[in-house]
């Protein structure tokens, strides 16, 4: 199963909707050009936010064998940029532009042991993988962490399907996930696939490195939409071009710069490739690095940032103490 | 009105597609070394190499970055291969372990790593859905690596659709005409044959009783029974295992000594082991070997048989090439089928069933 980024756009028609938690809605889409979704794949969809078309990515949670239908699950984040509100508003019969399943997070068959780690809505990327690993009788553990049982999508189905292979950690039951304990059970041959909030993934990455585990055995996917802090509106300046613009909390710095007429270089739009990197000349506030391109050292140095996903916040603690005064200001060169 | 169920005949597609959920031989075991090599199987270019521990690896032969062929690169460390262009390094699972000029690794940077099993002196690869890559599905070719059999073989790069090779091997009537100087004889087209199909196999058996041994077989008889003269009973039992392996149990025994009933002690027995890996729609890698179960210690006989079969198969190769050229030059003409094609037609039907199951059968126009 290979990475595949050849985009085939097609029409998706909503054929089923279901609330799987208070905040999460499952949507089943029929594909006008059917293609089966391999584990780890996602679709990109075009959403309309305030009259503007924007693109969002959703993991495929399951698909029919003939590829006619793919299911996704949409979580309405408290700080949604608008995409999840649009998606949750869809009804049976509605149509939207979607890609055929894309693959950037392939499951490798043949590892001696697997750990699948899902935090919150990150479970959507793990459902299909876990099902396949169970089918091929692989040695796997599915670790699912969430705030409360009620907020954890697909929990009853997972319990029924995976039995003892499912390890559930629930914050409000006092069984919160302890990354150190999890990694203590991981050996040199284990492949760990994870999807979840950036704080969880950062903790796992640090622990992984600290234990000297094999870097390529840690597999993860981010759609670049998870940060350490809630998104805020901030100001970006490009003195060389005489540009100053505001980055709204619902848009990326890259989008704002493009909107201001700056000819930007970029590619993946999810903080992986590093092509959208900008040099920081000045900073009032702090950078919320949301990319996986820079090392921890480079992120601390805060000399550059990936403007497709990373943002500025007014306070390095994330607490906006001064609602009146303080928008962060980033001065950059591109 | 009663609806009539129409049964579907096997097609006579001139260019038959190949199933992907199957094990194909990518190479002989001795071909795959620490120095990467390139081979295209089922239209997938592969970079093949061995890890330090000797494990065979098959990666897609195109770097994730700019698709430069990894087979032109070099192996590093325990199990890694380095792209010859910008130095990106992958492990045997196809995961990038090092990228130039950055402190991190792009999590998307992988190349497909295909399941590999080494068995029967071959390196087998599975190019379809890896979750179905069950090693027990590898065709039985145990004579290749059994102490009770000796022999060797070669690879023919055949410039034709792989199905033409399967057609060739499923009907040995052609020996009379293509191989008249070695194994051909009139009785081949005069004798009756039996075709049976069971699951994923098709068997074609033919016995020719009380005949003169053709030159190839007379020589073999004399290797075991010096100075042999006289009539023989000759057999050819062709077994196809889907999608592209054909083992042929061949031999002759002194006439009337009970070979058809199972006593082959007064004869010589060989197995022609054939497995064909499609390279593209109109080319294939044809791996063959001739194994025997007598005079196991004689390297001379091994070499003579390999050279002899090489000569025989050279005649097939020339015919297959000419046939593919004629097919291409006559796009408006169809294939017709004869009674002798029963084995080949069952093969087509089994392959078409598998293609249908994979959703990849291209219907005949």
């Amino acid at each position: 199963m290979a990475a595949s980024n050849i985009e085939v756009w097609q029409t998706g028609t909503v054929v089923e909707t279901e609330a799987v938690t208070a905040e999460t809605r499952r949507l089943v889409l029929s594909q006008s050009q059917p293609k089966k979704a391999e584990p780890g794949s996602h679709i990109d969809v075009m959403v309309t936010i305030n009259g503007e078309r924007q693109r969002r990515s959703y993991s495929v949670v399951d698909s029919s064998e003939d590829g006619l239908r793919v299911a996704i699950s949409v979580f309405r984040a408290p700080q949604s940029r608008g995409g999840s509100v649009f998606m949750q508003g869809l009804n049976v019969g509605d149509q939207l532009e979607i890609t055929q399943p894309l693959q950037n997070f392939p499951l490798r068959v043949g590892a001696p042991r697997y750990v699948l780690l899902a935090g919150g809505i990150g479970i959507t990327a793990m459902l299909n993988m876990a099902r396949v690993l169970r089918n091929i009788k692989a040695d796997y553990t599915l670790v699912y962490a969430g705030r409360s049982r009620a907020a954890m999508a697909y929990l009853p189905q997972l319990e029924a399907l995976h039995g003892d292979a499912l390890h559930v950690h629930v914050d409000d039951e006092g069984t919160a996930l302890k990354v150190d304990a999890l990694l203590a059970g991981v050996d040199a041959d284990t492949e760990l696939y994870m999807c979840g909030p950036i704080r969880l993934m950062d903790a796992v990455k640090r622990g992984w490195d600290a234990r000297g585990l094999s870097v390529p055995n840690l597999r993860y996917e981010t759609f670049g939409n998870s940060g350490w802090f809630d998104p805020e509106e901030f100001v970006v300046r490009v003195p060389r071009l005489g540009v100053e613009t505001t980055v709204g909390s619902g848009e990326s710095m890259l989008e704002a710069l493009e909107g201001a007429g700056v000819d930007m270089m970029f590619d993946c739009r999810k903080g992986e490739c590093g092509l959208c990197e900008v040099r920081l000349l000045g900073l009032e506030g702090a950078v919320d690095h949301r990319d996986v391109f820079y090392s921890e050292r480079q992120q601390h140095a805060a000399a550059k940032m990936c403007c497709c996903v990373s943002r500025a916040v007014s306070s390095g603690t994330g607490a906006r103490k001064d609602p009146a005064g303080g928008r962060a200001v980033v001065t950059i060169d591109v | 009105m009663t609806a009539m169920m129409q049964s579907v005949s096997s097609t006579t597609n001139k260019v038959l597609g190949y199933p992907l959920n199957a094990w194909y031989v990518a190479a002989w075991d001795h071909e795959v070394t620490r120095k990467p090599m390139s081979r295209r199987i089922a239209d997938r270019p592969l970079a093949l190499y061995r890890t330090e521990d000797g494990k065979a690896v098959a990666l897609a032969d195109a770097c994730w970055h700019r698709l430069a062929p990894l087979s032109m690169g070099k192996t590093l460390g325990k199990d890694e291969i380095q792209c010859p262009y910008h130095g990106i390094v992958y492990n045997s699972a196809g995961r990038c372990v090092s990228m130039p000029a950055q402190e991190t690794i792009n999590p998307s940077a992988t190349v497909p790593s295909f399941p590999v099993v080494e068995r029967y002196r071959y390196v087998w690869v599975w190019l379809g859905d890896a979750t179905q890559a069950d090693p027990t599905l590898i065709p039985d070719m145990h004579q290749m690596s059994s102490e009770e059999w000796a022999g060797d073989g070669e690879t023919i790069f055949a410039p034709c659709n792989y199905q033409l090779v399967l057609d060739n091997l499923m009907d040995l009537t052609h020996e009379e005409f293509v191989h008249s100087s070695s194994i051909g004889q009139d009785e081949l087209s005069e004798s009756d044959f039996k075709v049976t199909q069971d699951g994923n196999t098709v068997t074609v058996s033919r016995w020719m009783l009380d005949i003169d041994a053709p030159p190839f077989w007379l020589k073999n008889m004399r290797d075991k029974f010096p100075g042999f003269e006289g009539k023989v009973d000759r057999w050819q039992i062709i077994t196809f295992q889907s999608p592209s392996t054909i083992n042929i149990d061949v031999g002759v025994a002194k006439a009337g000594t009970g070979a058809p009933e199972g006593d082959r002690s007064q004869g010589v027995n060989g197995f022609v082991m054939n497995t064909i890996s499609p390279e593209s729609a109109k080319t294939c890698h044809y791996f063959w070997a001739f194994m025997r179960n007598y005079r196991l210690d004689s390297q001379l006989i091994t070499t003579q048989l390999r050279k002899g079969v090489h000569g025989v198969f050279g005649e097939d190769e020339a015919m297959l090439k000419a046939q593919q050229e004629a097919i291409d030059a006559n796009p408006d003409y169809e294939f017709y089928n004869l009674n002798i094609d029963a084995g080949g037609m069952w093969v087509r039907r089994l392959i078409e069933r598998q293609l249908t199951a994979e959703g990849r059968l291209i219907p005949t126009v």
Side-chain angles (χ1 to χ4, degrees):
Chain A
M1 278 172 253
S4 163
N5 290 299
I6 299 167
E7 291 177 9
V8 177
W9 286 91
Q10 57 170 343
T11 303
T13 305
V14 180
V15 292
E16 272 176 52
T17 69
E18 181 193 351
V20 286
T21 72
E23 297 147 326
T24 307
R25 199 157 186 84
R26 174 184 163 91
L27 300 176
V28 181
L29 305 171
S30 72
Q31 304 190 84
S32 61
Q33 295 182 57
K35 186 185 173 197
K36 194 183 166 202
E38 302 296 342
S41 57
H42 67 276
I43 57 172
D44 280 6
V45 306
M46 294 307 296
V47 298
T48 306
I49 301 166
N50 300 327
E52 275 187 41
R53 282 156 47 81
Q54 291 196 26
R55 181 171 177 158
R56 293 289 185 271
S57 299
Y58 293 96
S59 297
V60 177
V61 297
D62 53 75
S63 77
S64 58
E65 196 61 32
D66 54 16
L68 289 171
R69 293 171 168 214
V70 290
I72 59 174
S73 294
V74 180
F75 173 67
R76 197 177 68 242
Q79 293 291 336
S80 164
R81 290 182 288 154
S84 56
V85 174
F86 172 88
M87 293 296 290
Q88 290 213 344
L90 292 171
N91 293 306
V92 170
D94 287 348
Q95 296 195 323
L96 70 167
E97 284 174 78
I98 66 173
T99 61
Q100 282 187 337
L102 299 169
Q103 176 64 285
N104 269 325
F105 193 32
L107 174 69
R108 181 177 79 103
V109 173
R113 273 169 301 286
Y114 298 86
V115 174
L116 307 182
L117 171 59
I121 193 62
I123 192 65
T124 56
M126 295 298 152
L127 288 165
N128 217 352
M129 287 193 185
R131 191 179 306 115
V132 166
L133 290 178
R134 180 181 177 276
N135 287 347
I136 63 173
K137 300 183 174 66
D139 179 348
Y140 74 99
T141 308
L142 172 59
V143 181
Y144 187 8
R147 286 172 286 126
S148 68
R149 279 183 189 267
M152 294 170 73
Y154 297 105
L155 201 48
Q157 294 95 319
L158 290 169
E159 282 170 339
L161 185 62
H162 297 290
D164 292 344
L166 175 70
H167 297 190
V168 177
H169 296 273
V170 187
D171 292 355
D172 72 4
E173 293 179 2
T175 58
L177 176 70
K178 293 189 172 57
V179 170
D180 279 346
L182 172 72
L183 294 183
V186 167
D187 66 20
D189 295 326
T190 303
E191 293 191 359
L192 190 151
Y193 293 71
M194 64 176 176
C195 187
I198 199 158
R199 285 171 199 242
L200 172 64
M201 302 221 285
D202 278 350
V204 173
K205 274 191 254 179
R206 272 198 301 275
W208 198 267
D209 289 343
R211 283 175 167 74
L213 291 163
S214 158
V215 173
N217 280 356
L218 179 60
R219 314 303 306 169
Y220 53 91
E221 180 175 49
T222 71
F223 295 134
N225 51 14
S226 170
W228 277 80
F229 308 115
D230 290 338
E232 297 172 14
E233 186 177 289
F234 63 100
V235 175
V236 57
R237 294 182 182 137
V238 192
R240 184 170 65 81
L241 303 176
V243 168
E244 173 169 331
T245 189
T246 301
V247 183
S249 62
E251 66 180 338
S252 74
M253 184 166 152
L254 174 61
E255 287 161 354
L257 287 164
E258 288 185 297
V262 182
D263 197 6
M264 296 296 295
M265 179 53 64
F266 62 90
D267 181 34
C268 72
R269 286 187 180 269
K270 54 187 179 183
E272 292 184 354
C273 73
L275 273 173
C276 68
E277 121 178 326
V278 296
R279 288 187 301 284
L280 287 174
L281 303 176
L283 176 64
E284 294 168 35
V287 177
D288 183 9
H289 288 286
R290 297 173 167 220
D291 63 279
V292 294
F293 173 72
Y294 295 120
S295 65
E296 210 175 344
R297 182 193 71 76
Q298 289 170 312
Q299 292 189 345
H300 276 302
K304 297 171 180 177
M305 62 190 282
C306 286
C307 68
C308 70
V309 292
S310 297
R311 313 185 60 85
V313 287
S314 52
S315 153
T317 63
R320 273 179 287 183
K321 290 161 294 196
D322 178 13
R327 287 193 302 182
V329 180
V330 194
T331 307
I332 62 166
D333 197 9
V334 296
Chain B
M1 277 210 2
T2 314
M4 287 269 286
M5 184 84 165
Q6 198 183 352
S7 67
V8 180
S9 161
S10 288
T11 78
T12 43
N13 274 334
K14 290 182 285 185
V15 175
L16 197 66
Y18 42 76
L20 281 179
N21 287 329
W23 292 101
Y24 289 114
V25 169
W28 286 89
D29 52 6
H30 60 79
E31 292 183 277
V32 182
T33 66
R34 287 288 280 159
K35 183 176 158 44
M37 64 173 279
S38 162
R39 183 151 289 162
R40 188 152 53 112
I41 302 293
D43 272 320
R44 270 84 178 149
L46 303 176
L48 304 170
Y49 68 95
R50 284 189 193 277
T51 67
E52 215 168 61
D53 298 340
K55 207 172 131 296
V57 178
L59 300 182
D61 195 12
C63 180
W64 169 84
H65 171 222
R66 284 291 190 261
L67 308 184
L70 296 178
S71 58
M72 286 172 63
K74 60 183 176 192
T75 48
L76 296 176
K78 202 163 68 85
D79 72 335
E80 294 160 1
I81 186 168
Q82 182 173 43
C83 175
Y85 200 175
H86 302 100
I88 294 177
V89 179
Y90 301 90
N91 67 13
S92 58
R95 265 66 180 280
C96 177
V97 297
S98 165
M99 294 198 127
Q102 62 183 66
E103 295 185 9
T104 57
I105 294 168
N106 187 316
S108 302
T110 59
V111 294
S113 173
F114 299 100
V116 169
V117 173
E118 201 161 341
R119 192 176 289 175
Y120 310 138
R121 295 164 60 182
Y122 292 129
V123 174
W124 302 79
V125 292
W126 180 281
L127 303 171
D129 177 358
T131 64
Q132 298 180 38
D134 177 356
T136 65
L137 300 175
I138 291 175
D140 177 11
M141 299 188 84
H142 70 272
Q143 292 87 349
M144 295 290 294
S145 51
S146 158
E147 285 178 8
E148 291 162 23
W149 296 83
D152 203 4
E154 295 176 354
T155 312
I156 294 169
F157 181 74
C160 65
N161 181 248
Y162 79 114
Q163 177 66 41
L164 299 186
V165 184
L166 300 179
D167 281 345
N168 170 285
L169 292 165
M170 290 307 286
D171 166 42
L172 299 180
T173 314
H174 78 271
E175 289 181 0
E176 181 177 333
F177 308 98
V178 178
H179 310 306
S180 54
S181 67
S182 54
I183 51 176
Q185 56 187 164
D186 295 349
E187 289 86 351
L188 279 158
S189 61
E190 291 162 8
S191 59
D192 204 8
F193 62 93
K194 193 174 86 185
V195 180
T196 52
Q197 181 265 329
D198 181 22
N200 280 328
T201 66
V202 178
T203 306
V204 179
S205 329
R206 174 182 262 140
W207 282 87
M208 291 152 278
L209 303 179
D210 201 29
I211 60 171
D212 290 321
F216 177 83
W217 285 113
L218 186 61
K219 188 265 180 204
N220 294 341
M221 276 299 275
R222 287 175 176 169
D223 281 342
K224 184 169 173 184
F225 306 104
F228 169 77
E229 298 277 359
K231 298 282 188 183
V232 295
D233 294 337
R234 179 179 178 189
W235 67 89
Q236 295 172 325
I237 301 165
I238 309 166
T239 304
F240 166 80
Q241 300 173 76
S242 197
S244 62
T245 296
I246 296 176
N247 299 333
I248 312 179
D249 174 7
V250 289
V252 298
K254 294 172 189 172
T257 57
E261 292 75 37
D263 177 6
R264 295 176 173 183
S265 62
Q266 297 306 301
V268 285
N269 184 196
F271 260 78
V272 196
M273 317 297 294
N274 310 278
T275 188
I276 296 103
S277 303
E279 186 205 47
S280 66
K282 291 181 183 175
T283 51
C284 58
H285 303 284
Y286 172 6
F287 299 89
W288 64 263
F290 190 94
M291 307 302 294
R292 69 180 188 282
N293 64 357
Y294 59 93
R295 301 282 307 271
L296 298 182
D297 57 328
S298 173
Q299 183 60 43
L300 171 66
I301 293 176
T302 295
T303 303
Q304 286 172 335
L305 283 169
R306 190 186 61 229
K307 288 195 164 175
V309 177
H310 172 94
V312 171
F313 282 5
E315 294 169 335
D316 289 303
E317 190 182 344
M319 176 54 69
L320 293 166
K321 177 173 183 289
Q323 183 188 8
Q324 184 69 57
E325 286 167 359
I327 289 169
D328 292 342
N330 294 281
D332 298 335
Y333 296 166
E334 296 301 318
F335 278 4
Y336 283 88
N337 301 312
L338 298 172
N339 173 264
I340 56 169
D341 296 315
M345 291 298 281
W346 271 113
V347 165
R348 286 169 178 270
R349 183 170 295 179
L350 294 189
I351 291 173
E352 284 163 3
R353 275 183 194 157
Q354 201 172 338
L355 287 169
T356 304
E358 292 180 14
R360 299 179 64 249
L361 181 65
I362 299 158
T364 328
V365 181

